[in-house]
Amino acid sequence: MRIGILNSGGDCPGLNAVIHGVVGAAHKLGWEVIGFRDGFEGLLPPGDYQVLDPEDTVGILKLGGTILGTTNKVSLAAKMGEGTKEEIAEMVIKKASRTMSQLEIRALIVVGGDGSLSTALHLYKAGFPVIGVPKTIDNDLQATAMTFGFDSAVSCVVDAMDRLHTTALSHKRVMVVEVMGRNAGWIALWGGIAGGANVILLPEIEFSLDKVAQFIKDREAKGNHSSMVIVAEGARTPDGKLLTNKNDDGSDVRLGGIGDFVANELAVRTGKETRACTLGHLQRGGAPTGLDRILGARFGVKAVKLAEEGRFGRMVSYQSYHVTSSSIEKAVHKLKLVDPEGEEVETARAIGICLGD
Ligand code: F6P
């Protein structure tokens, strides 16, 4: 029996831990594992892949990135950006199917976020024996309480906040930190609470810059001369604009710029010296946290179990400390966003954080 694994979309800390789990569990069953390179592209004839033996995975569990390479500019993209659905060309599906039959792949494990799992679902509906594994630092997938990679991104934000806090304090400045997360505010919310933010601005909660400025001025009046503001890249300006950097290469829309925007507006409104810092890809790079190493390895092992049971069209899912599964369809039908009335937001408000509303 031979199975395939590919990871697609942006890289994410913990991808190698998944590969490690898959290869370990498959070899215990006497199966061979083929790793397709550069996401779905590796499936296109003649096939770009490598056989993954246990020796190839020694020591990779703790490595960031992915030994298989990845891309988010693909001919098998079924969904680009929020809400936009594109069909995969019939010819591309046929080509990928040819590679699957030639290599006699009996199960294909797709490790991906919303976009890649949408592609996986298309392939499943076209007859591919697909199993999904939820990957994204954004934590915006339905049907799983957590994706791997999220904890590592939050831990990077917390480390950055700790560093930026001391310089903000020394200079009595307002520091605005822009973080990733696309249309969801999870990284900002968790990173903000854990990193000691005074203000958290999310895509899910409309904010007023006048209210944020007043909050900072009130802090000033009480003797707190520095303030930490964290803003999610997908947060909109008060007039509803989503700030983006234009990509010339035809890839997905790249969010960015809200941090500088908020910093400039707050400087004008508060009269305080303000600086912006965009954390960018620092949040995706580097070694996974302990939690993401464990989640990744467990997800990989569970994916092989689902393949063994022939439960195709399922995605590994994390619920109440248990690794279980859900249908891929359920995971991708819409993004999991922060609930403005939810318990995490309530916690932020209770400990005195301003959400700008
Ligand atoms: O989806 C993960 C993510 O890191 C988002 O948080 C971010 O908006 C995007 O990918 C960045 O993508 P790229 O690596 O293509 O710039």
Side-chain angles (χ1 to χ4, degrees), residues 92 94 105 121 162 176 184 219 261 270 342:
V92 178
K94 276 203 182 118
I105 304 284
L121 184 60
D162 287 351
V176 180
R219 281 176 50 77
F261 173 85
T270 62

PDB file of all heavy atoms in Angstrom, residues 92 94 105 121 162 176 184 219 261 270 342:
ATOM      1  N   VAL A  92      -6.873  19.794 -15.443  1.00  0.00           N
ATOM      2  CA  VAL A  92      -5.895  19.733 -14.346  1.00  0.00           C
ATOM      3  C   VAL A  92      -6.238  18.551 -13.429  1.00  0.00           C
ATOM      4  O   VAL A  92      -5.351  17.807 -12.998  1.00  0.00           O
ATOM      5  CB  VAL A  92      -5.900  21.077 -13.559  1.00  0.00           C
ATOM      6  CG1 VAL A  92      -4.943  21.018 -12.387  1.00  0.00           C
ATOM      7  CG2 VAL A  92      -5.535  22.228 -14.472  1.00  0.00           C
ATOM      8  N   LYS A  94      -7.769  15.838 -14.282  1.00  0.00           N
ATOM      9  CA  LYS A  94      -7.435  14.600 -15.012  1.00  0.00           C
ATOM     10  C   LYS A  94      -5.941  14.298 -14.919  1.00  0.00           C
ATOM     11  O   LYS A  94      -5.525  13.159 -14.703  1.00  0.00           O
ATOM     12  CB  LYS A  94      -7.824  14.743 -16.491  1.00  0.00           C
ATOM     13  CG  LYS A  94      -9.265  14.421 -16.737  1.00  0.00           C
ATOM     14  CD  LYS A  94      -9.487  14.029 -18.201  1.00  0.00           C
ATOM     15  CE  LYS A  94     -10.965  13.763 -18.431  1.00  0.00           C
ATOM     16  NZ  LYS A  94     -11.566  14.662 -19.411  1.00  0.00           N
ATOM     17  N   ILE A 105      -1.321   5.516  -5.731  1.00  0.00           N
ATOM     18  CA  ILE A 105      -1.543   6.155  -4.424  1.00  0.00           C
ATOM     19  C   ILE A 105      -2.951   5.810  -3.952  1.00  0.00           C
ATOM     20  O   ILE A 105      -3.935   6.129  -4.633  1.00  0.00           O
ATOM     21  CB  ILE A 105      -1.413   7.703  -4.545  1.00  0.00           C
ATOM     22  CG1 ILE A 105      -0.063   8.115  -5.126  1.00  0.00           C
ATOM     23  CG2 ILE A 105      -1.681   8.383  -3.211  1.00  0.00           C
ATOM     24  CD1 ILE A 105       1.097   8.026  -4.209  1.00  0.00           C
ATOM     25  N   LEU A 121     -11.333  19.203  -1.182  1.00  0.00           N
ATOM     26  CA  LEU A 121     -12.745  18.808  -1.259  1.00  0.00           C
ATOM     27  C   LEU A 121     -13.166  18.591  -2.718  1.00  0.00           C
ATOM     28  O   LEU A 121     -13.856  17.624  -3.053  1.00  0.00           O
ATOM     29  CB  LEU A 121     -13.613  19.888  -0.591  1.00  0.00           C
ATOM     30  CG  LEU A 121     -15.105  19.606  -0.499  1.00  0.00           C
ATOM     31  CD1 LEU A 121     -15.369  18.337   0.314  1.00  0.00           C
ATOM     32  CD2 LEU A 121     -15.839  20.786   0.148  1.00  0.00           C
ATOM     33  N   ASP A 162       6.516  41.752  24.163  1.00  0.00           N
ATOM     34  CA  ASP A 162       7.368  41.935  25.349  1.00  0.00           C
ATOM     35  C   ASP A 162       8.543  42.862  25.027  1.00  0.00           C
ATOM     36  O   ASP A 162       8.912  43.733  25.809  1.00  0.00           O
ATOM     37  CB  ASP A 162       7.907  40.581  25.839  1.00  0.00           C
ATOM     38  CG  ASP A 162       6.825  39.732  26.520  1.00  0.00           C
ATOM     39  OD1 ASP A 162       5.716  40.273  26.759  1.00  0.00           O
ATOM     40  OD2 ASP A 162       7.085  38.554  26.801  1.00  0.00           O
ATOM     41  N   VAL A 176       2.188  50.616  17.855  1.00  0.00           N
ATOM     42  CA  VAL A 176       1.114  49.895  17.155  1.00  0.00           C
ATOM     43  C   VAL A 176       1.724  48.675  16.462  1.00  0.00           C
ATOM     44  O   VAL A 176       2.649  48.819  15.661  1.00  0.00           O
ATOM     45  CB  VAL A 176       0.420  50.801  16.118  1.00  0.00           C
ATOM     46  CG1 VAL A 176      -0.691  50.030  15.395  1.00  0.00           C
ATOM     47  CG2 VAL A 176      -0.161  52.049  16.789  1.00  0.00           C
ATOM     48  N   ALA A 184      -9.494  36.954   9.942  1.00  0.00           N
ATOM     49  CA  ALA A 184      -9.842  36.593  11.320  1.00  0.00           C
ATOM     50  C   ALA A 184      -8.894  37.261  12.312  1.00  0.00           C
ATOM     51  O   ALA A 184      -7.721  37.455  12.022  1.00  0.00           O
ATOM     52  CB  ALA A 184      -9.772  35.069  11.474  1.00  0.00           C
ATOM     53  N   ARG A 219      -5.375  57.016  29.816  1.00  0.00           N
ATOM     54  CA  ARG A 219      -4.250  56.293  30.436  1.00  0.00           C
ATOM     55  C   ARG A 219      -3.140  57.284  30.795  1.00  0.00           C
ATOM     56  O   ARG A 219      -2.558  57.228  31.866  1.00  0.00           O
ATOM     57  CB  ARG A 219      -3.685  55.248  29.448  1.00  0.00           C
ATOM     58  CG  ARG A 219      -4.506  53.987  29.372  1.00  0.00           C
ATOM     59  CD  ARG A 219      -3.977  53.021  28.327  1.00  0.00           C
ATOM     60  NE  ARG A 219      -2.542  52.755  28.436  1.00  0.00           N
ATOM     61  CZ  ARG A 219      -1.981  51.961  29.339  1.00  0.00           C
ATOM     62  NH1 ARG A 219      -2.733  51.338  30.213  1.00  0.00           N
ATOM     63  NH2 ARG A 219      -0.673  51.792  29.378  1.00  0.00           N
ATOM     64  N   PHE A 261      -1.473  52.969   9.242  1.00  0.00           N
ATOM     65  CA  PHE A 261      -2.640  53.854   9.205  1.00  0.00           C
ATOM     66  C   PHE A 261      -3.078  54.219  10.627  1.00  0.00           C
ATOM     67  O   PHE A 261      -3.248  55.402  10.963  1.00  0.00           O
ATOM     68  CB  PHE A 261      -3.782  53.168   8.438  1.00  0.00           C
ATOM     69  CG  PHE A 261      -5.081  53.909   8.469  1.00  0.00           C
ATOM     70  CD1 PHE A 261      -5.337  54.924   7.557  1.00  0.00           C
ATOM     71  CD2 PHE A 261      -6.045  53.629   9.437  1.00  0.00           C
ATOM     72  CE1 PHE A 261      -6.535  55.638   7.598  1.00  0.00           C
ATOM     73  CE2 PHE A 261      -7.239  54.332   9.488  1.00  0.00           C
ATOM     74  CZ  PHE A 261      -7.492  55.340   8.568  1.00  0.00           C
ATOM     75  N   THR A 270      -3.810  61.986  19.478  1.00  0.00           N
ATOM     76  CA  THR A 270      -3.353  62.019  20.882  1.00  0.00           C
ATOM     77  C   THR A 270      -2.204  62.997  21.086  1.00  0.00           C
ATOM     78  O   THR A 270      -1.884  63.357  22.217  1.00  0.00           O
ATOM     79  CB  THR A 270      -2.841  60.625  21.335  1.00  0.00           C
ATOM     80  OG1 THR A 270      -1.717  60.272  20.516  1.00  0.00           O
ATOM     81  CG2 THR A 270      -3.907  59.566  21.238  1.00  0.00           C
ATOM     82  N   GLY A 342     -18.074  36.543  22.382  1.00  0.00           N
ATOM     83  CA  GLY A 342     -17.493  35.309  22.917  1.00  0.00           C
ATOM     84  C   GLY A 342     -16.681  35.520  24.189  1.00  0.00           C
ATOM     85  O   GLY A 342     -16.383  36.649  24.605  1.00  0.00           O
TER      86      GLY A 342
END
